[in-house]
Amino acid sequence: MKTAVVKRHDIANAPVMRIDASFQLSEGVSVRRIIADCPYPVVKCGDVMERIWHAGRWKRVYVNNPKTGIPLVGSSAMLKSDLSDIKLISRKYTEDMADKMLHPGWILVSCSGTIGNTVFTNTGHAGKLASQHVLRLKPKDILGGWILVCVSFIEIWIRNADARNIWSSYSAYRTGKCFNNSSPGISRGNAEGD
């Protein structure tokens, strides 16, 4: 059985005034409370993303010839480390390939099947298309790896109502208690936008 303390101002200041327990104990409302109590500034996705989209549905014509086909990455294939054996779809019959094409530095999130799997694209993903089952996040002027960490923690965060562990870990990182500043590829300066 789920239990929680709901304060009067939580109900009064909510976008929708509902007093039923199923709403107040839902994961979405719990996450909103955690975010509201967060001691750090909250950044909206639109502020750090250039674009968030999926390609939509389209007719696919599968081919076997690599000269006439282009690899198609789906929500399962995006998790593979070797993308050399994925299915090919026809270049000739695929419309709007530029919008479906993947580039390094993007974040992919599965939105079909097992929802919420995340991948950071690299040169192995470049030049391949992604299906409508893959949500694409194109970061602006921020390191995409940091956004990937946030996106990857969303499910953990929702499932774990005690988010203080995440914030205390982040705080330990920012103060340098987690690891020293000479760690390859990670520095406190990167975390603070320097």
Side-chain angles (χ1 to χ4, degrees):
M1 175 166 82
K2 290 183 179 180
T3 61
V5 175
V6 180
K7 298 177 183 164
R8 187 178 330 140
H9 70 82
D10 289 339
I11 296 171
N13 296 332
V16 177
M17 186 177 283
R18 291 182 57 179
I19 59 172
D20 54 311
S22 63
F23 176 78
Q24 294 298 331
L25 295 176
S26 70
E27 293 170 343
V29 173
S30 298
V31 169
R32 283 181 185 253
R33 286 190 192 112
I34 291 168
I35 291 172
D37 294 339
C38 172
Y40 301 102
V42 176
V43 179
K44 294 181 181 179
C45 289
D47 295 340
V48 294
M49 294 293 172
E50 187 174 314
R51 188 172 178 210
I52 301 172
W53 79 105
H54 70 85
R57 296 176 63 185
W58 76 92
K59 182 179 178 179
R60 301 179 197 162
V61 177
Y62 291 95
V63 296
N64 292 326
N65 187 347
K67 292 181 181 177
T68 60
I70 188 163
L72 178 68
V73 177
S75 58
S76 296
M78 73 179 209
L79 300 172
K80 294 181 176 181
S81 59
D82 180 15
L83 297 173
S84 62
D85 64 340
I86 59 177
K87 294 181 179 182
L88 303 172
I89 61 170
S90 172
R91 291 177 187 271
K92 181 178 178 181
Y93 295 108
T94 303
E95 297 176 0
D96 198 18
M97 285 198 332
D99 198 44
K100 299 171 179 74
M101 191 76 62
L102 296 176
H103 297 278
W106 290 3
I107 298 160
L108 306 179
V109 181
S110 62
C111 53
S112 176
T114 304
I115 298 170
N117 288 328
T118 55
V119 172
F120 192 70
T121 59
N122 55 35
T123 55
H125 294 89
K128 294 173 176 58
L129 304 183
S131 73
Q132 76 271 15
H133 304 292
V134 178
L135 187 67
R136 301 140 177 88
L137 288 78
K138 183 179 180 183
K140 282 185 182 173
D141 298 328
I142 189 169
L143 296 174
W146 290 112
I147 298 170
L148 176 68
V149 169
C150 294
V151 171
S152 298
F153 273 114
I154 287 174
E155 185 174 353
I156 295 168
W157 201 14
I158 289 171
R159 303 276 181 241
N160 179 7
D162 182 13
R164 289 179 301 226
N165 294 333
I166 294 171
W167 294 121
S168 63
S169 298
Y170 180 71
S171 177
Y173 164 74
R174 287 180 59 102
T175 58
K177 294 177 184 171
C178 227
F179 45 76
N180 62 33
N181 289 339
S182 63
S183 298
I186 302 174
S187 70
R188 287 179 57 211
N190 288 346
E192 300 183 16
D194 294 341

